[in-house]
Amino acid sequence: MKVPPREAVEANVLRLARPAAILDMPLIFTASEEEGQKGTLLPSLQQILPAAYASRIDRHEIIDSLADPAVAEALSATGQRQLITAGISTEVCGIPPALHAQRDDYQVAFVADAYGSLTELGHAISLRRLEREGITLTTTAMVIAELTDDYPITPRSCGPTPAPTPMTPTGDHRPTGCC
């Protein structure tokens, strides 16, 4: 992976994991190549989110993670309709499940700097396609800012509930993270 550099993509995935852990967001970790290679997912995720890491789903080479019944069931079990996606490969691991989730009426936020491609063109065209399809494109910093600004880390003691943004839930519903 070259665009953004793999190290930057991995760092952004870890940056997203930290507020997800603090906010106790429902998360689904999945990989398409884990069989016989336990630990293909970023090992640092295990330290930040041990339960989500331990229950990660091996898709057995299924590219579209939501085409795997175990992943689709795990997502449905969260009861959430908002999905924040992050991963490694823009064109292969990112596009198919984002489009699938949107077809299934999820509000999808695609964290563009938490995905990468072998080419700048591949990454750019992928993002343009998602945008054309109506999927929200965002960045790690934007997600963290929106989650920490609008999301109640501690129960609210007073004041009105802020208006939801494309990244924040309404009421007590929490968006689901998936990578």
Side-chain angles (χ1 to χ4, degrees):
M1 172 179 335
K2 295 181 180 180
V3 181
R6 185 178 182 97
E7 299 79 29
V9 171
E10 289 178 1
N12 286 333
V13 169
L14 295 175
R15 281 185 192 102
L16 290 168
R18 289 180 185 99
I22 291 167
L23 297 172
D24 196 27
M25 291 172 62
L27 296 168
I28 302 165
F29 289 157
T30 181
S32 64
E33 300 177 6
E34 277 223 318
E35 194 168 302
Q37 306 175 42
K38 287 295 178 189
T40 299
L41 236 47
L42 296 174
S44 298
L45 287 172
Q46 184 174 18
Q47 296 168 347
I48 300 168
L49 294 153
Y53 191 89
S55 63
R56 65 196 183 276
I57 300 169
D58 182 355
R59 305 193 305 272
H60 307 291
E61 300 179 3
I62 296 172
I63 292 173
D64 174 359
S65 58
L66 290 180
D68 183 301
V71 176
E73 183 178 309
L75 180 58
S76 179
T78 70
Q80 305 305 310
R81 300 308 301 171
Q82 294 178 317
L83 179 65
I84 300 169
T85 67
I88 296 297
S89 170
T90 309
E91 299 101 314
V92 179
C93 296
I95 298 281
L99 294 173
H100 189 146
Q102 185 188 44
R103 282 191 308 270
D104 288 349
D105 295 322
Y106 285 90
Q107 182 181 7
V108 181
F110 192 92
V111 187
D113 62 353
Y115 283 99
S117 177
L118 291 174
T119 68
E120 189 172 326
L121 181 62
H123 193 68
I125 287 175
S126 296
L127 298 180
R128 286 187 358 222
R129 175 162 184 219
L130 290 173
E131 189 172 42
R132 188 175 59 247
E133 296 291 334
I135 291 175
T136 300
L137 299 181
T138 189
T139 66
T140 299
M142 289 167 62
V143 170
I144 293 170
E146 288 189 50
L147 288 175
T148 58
D149 182 44
D150 292 344
Y151 202 91
I153 295 174
T154 57
R156 284 192 180 91
S157 58
C158 61
T161 301
T165 67
M167 296 300 302
T168 58
T170 55
D172 292 330
H173 298 283
R174 300 176 179 187
T176 302
C178 181
C179 61

